[in-house]
Amino acid sequence: MSIRYSQDFKDSLVKLHQEGRSLKSLAEEFGPSKDSIAIWVKQATPFMIQGQSKTIKDVKQPAKRLASLEEENEILSRIS
């Protein structure tokens, strides 16, 4: 069974890790696996793209939005 965690919960664990808590201690105390927390940390870690600091979420969000709009457009074109 897959558990969905809120973005606020993920962000709080990322912040605790950035403040020095180990992945193991966070997993033991809060429940998600070390691997899940590591993914959240990686997604929140900034990197440079063309001189701008971005996160994986910043980069993927427009692509998800584009896919959603393309799907809506396809549905609307079938209707008309």
Side-chain angles (χ1 to χ4, degrees):
M1 181 172 102
S2 177
I3 299 172
R4 303 281 295 174
Y5 296 100
S6 73
Q7 191 60 51
D8 287 342
F9 178 77
K10 293 176 185 180
D11 292 344
S12 66
L13 292 187
V14 168
K15 186 173 189 291
L16 288 170
H17 179 70
Q18 291 170 338
E19 292 172 351
R21 293 279 304 270
S22 72
L23 295 175
K24 182 180 178 185
S25 72
L26 292 171
E28 289 172 352
E29 184 174 343
F30 295 101
S33 70
K34 291 187 322 185
D35 291 339
S36 292
I37 300 168
I39 289 169
W40 303 337
V41 168
K42 184 176 180 179
Q43 289 173 340
T45 302
F47 56 93
M48 298 300 285
I49 296 181
Q50 297 177 348
Q52 293 184 331
S53 178
K54 301 282 185 183
T55 64
I56 291 173
K57 183 178 176 181
D58 294 335
V59 173
K60 287 186 174 182
Q61 199 167 15
K64 284 183 179 181
R65 180 70 178 134
L66 176 60
S68 174
L69 291 172
E70 288 174 342
E71 183 179 343
E72 288 177 23
N73 195 24
E74 177 67 27
I75 291 168
L76 291 172
S77 68
R78 289 185 206 155
I79 293 171
S80 55

